[in-house]
Amino acid sequence: MIVYLDVIWALNLLFDSLLLFLTAIILKRRIRLWRIFAGGFIGSLIILLSFTPVNAISGHPLSKLLFSIVMVLIAFGYKRLSFFIKALMTLYVSTFLIGGALMGVHFFIQYDPKLTVGVLKSSVLGFGDPISWLFVLIGFPVAWHFSRKNIESMEMTKIQYDQIVTVTVVIEEQTLYLKGLVDSGNQLYDPLSKLPVMFVSIKNQFDNMSDLIKKMAADPEALVLGNSEFPEEWQSRMRIIPYQVVGQTSQLIIAVKPDRILIEHNGFEYLCDKGLVTFTLQQLSSDDVFQCIVHPKMLTGPRQNGETVKVS
């Protein structure tokens, strides 16, 4: 029997890469194609190892799990345990869904009378293989629970993704390009001017920020108490705003009025010329999906496709 190992390996490389790509689509994660193919390459090595003396080890379930872990780490990286587990579980759900669909279609269109008779004769007492029954009775509830939880997680990811916008903030010569979450729970306004306030995390861009923005994010209390001073050209931008978090006493935060806030969402652009920005070192998203929390008022008003619209 002739086995075209290169063709089989290439097919598995493509299939594993597509599964990782599908996982990224479901989780709405930004990816790099080279990392997807690198992860697919690791997964496809199982096929090559099947024709070596270590085939017994490479085919073991623990070995397959290890390969899956490495695939996910290469394709998506590691930020925190929940981020990694979610990607790994989604990869398995995608694999089972696609694999089950392909097997179902294959057995649906294939008909072999001799094979059918052979399966019936090999059944135990006409009730089927007891191991198969046990596997179905235990495995089906587990699979159902596993699938339901992941589908709910996918729905929540989609809901959150629909609220993600692209934000550009310009202050003096500093330009920030961010992903923002439109949060209806953010109802923070400047009590005097009634301008809405946007929260911006600079944790992952700290080294690229100006010294003043770093100071506002790292030690706003010093600016509020007057221990540090704003440059004269920034004093007209500064606002001190009372802010309260559930379970904590009222606080004062520093916000500034930028030169420009441009928000892009669903093909529409909004130019918000009446808004404030406050900076923090706190990471706003555990998965780093967004870096700022956008006030919903910044997206009100008329909009036009492909054109910038000024929002009051």
Side-chain angles (χ1 to χ4, degrees):
M1 179 179 178
I2 300 177
V3 177
Y4 296 95
L5 183 58
D6 54 344
V7 176
I8 298 175
W9 170 79
L11 180 62
N12 277 270
L13 170 63
L14 179 61
F15 191 77
D16 289 341
S17 300
L18 289 175
L19 286 174
L20 289 171
F21 188 70
L22 177 61
T23 301
I25 292 176
I26 293 174
L27 295 177
K28 310 297 184 183
R29 291 184 180 173
R30 290 174 291 178
I31 55 171
R32 296 182 179 180
L33 288 180
W34 72 266
R35 299 192 67 165
I36 292 295
F37 280 107
F41 173 77
I42 294 298
S44 66
L45 290 180
I46 292 181
I47 297 300
L48 300 180
L49 294 176
S50 299
F51 294 88
T52 66
V54 298
N55 64 322
I57 299 176
S58 63
H60 194 277
L62 290 179
S63 298
K64 295 177 181 179
L65 176 61
L66 179 61
F67 272 92
S68 301
I69 291 173
V70 176
M71 289 171 62
V72 171
L73 288 176
I74 292 177
F76 303 107
Y78 183 89
K79 295 183 178 180
R80 57 191 301 138
L81 184 60
S82 59
F83 180 92
F84 165 74
I85 294 295
K86 189 175 182 180
L88 182 63
M89 294 298 100
T90 305
L91 173 63
Y92 275 112
V93 169
S94 303
T95 303
F96 297 153
L97 288 176
I98 299 299
L102 292 177
M103 290 183 62
V105 172
H106 172 74
F107 284 107
F108 179 79
I109 63 177
Q110 186 183 48
Y111 177 68
D112 188 345
K114 294 182 179 180
L115 178 61
T116 302
V117 173
V119 171
L120 291 175
K121 288 183 177 180
S122 63
S123 298
V124 179
L125 300 177
F127 291 101
D129 189 347
I131 297 179
S132 299
W133 276 101
L134 183 63
F135 185 80
V136 171
L137 290 175
I138 297 177
F140 181 80
V142 173
W144 180 84
H145 178 76
F146 173 76
S147 300
R148 183 174 64 87
K149 288 294 183 181
N150 276 273
I151 289 174
E152 290 175 355
S153 177
M154 294 174 193
E155 290 175 348
M156 291 302 299
T157 300
K158 183 180 184 303
I159 291 173
Q160 185 185 76
Y161 181 78
D162 292 338
Q163 298 173 331
I164 297 295
V165 296
T166 301
V167 180
T168 303
V169 178
V170 180
I171 305 178
E172 296 287 340
E173 298 180 355
Q174 185 86 61
T175 302
L176 305 179
Y177 300 98
L178 309 159
K179 288 294 182 181
L181 174 68
V182 182
D183 183 11
S184 59
N186 177 17
Q187 295 296 324
L188 184 62
Y189 291 88
D190 175 17
L192 297 179
S193 63
K194 301 301 181 183
L195 296 180
V197 180
M198 175 193 299
F199 290 86
V200 174
S201 171
I202 62 170
K203 181 177 181 180
N204 297 329
Q205 305 182 52
F206 186 79
D207 294 336
N208 300 324
M209 296 295 106
S210 65
D211 292 337
L212 184 56
I213 292 179
K214 290 179 181 179
K215 187 182 297 184
M216 282 191 289
D219 191 14
E221 185 176 351
L223 295 170
V224 172
L225 297 178
N227 298 331
S228 298
E229 294 184 357
F230 271 91
E232 184 176 350
E233 62 272 16
W234 279 69
Q235 291 182 4
S236 60
R237 299 177 180 270
M238 184 184 72
R239 305 287 190 276
I240 298 178
I241 301 174
Y243 172 63
Q244 186 170 3
V245 180
V246 176
Q248 298 183 11
T249 58
S250 297
Q251 307 175 44
L252 295 177
I253 61 173
I254 296 289
V256 295
K257 190 176 188 308
D259 296 316
R260 187 184 189 195
I261 300 177
L262 182 63
I263 303 173
E264 182 180 348
H265 182 49
N266 290 336
F268 299 97
E269 291 184 343
Y270 304 83
L271 180 59
C272 179
D273 60 351
K274 295 182 180 179
L276 301 174
V277 176
T278 180
F279 298 96
T280 178
L281 290 179
Q282 181 181 356
Q283 187 166 341
L284 302 176
S285 169
S286 59
D287 297 339
D288 199 29
V289 176
F290 56 90
Q291 298 83 44
C292 63
I293 298 178
V294 180
H295 196 291
K297 186 177 173 60
M298 294 179 173
L299 288 173
T300 58
R303 60 182 184 178
Q304 295 182 12
N305 189 15
E307 297 183 7
T308 301
V309 178
K310 184 175 291 188
V311 180
S312 300

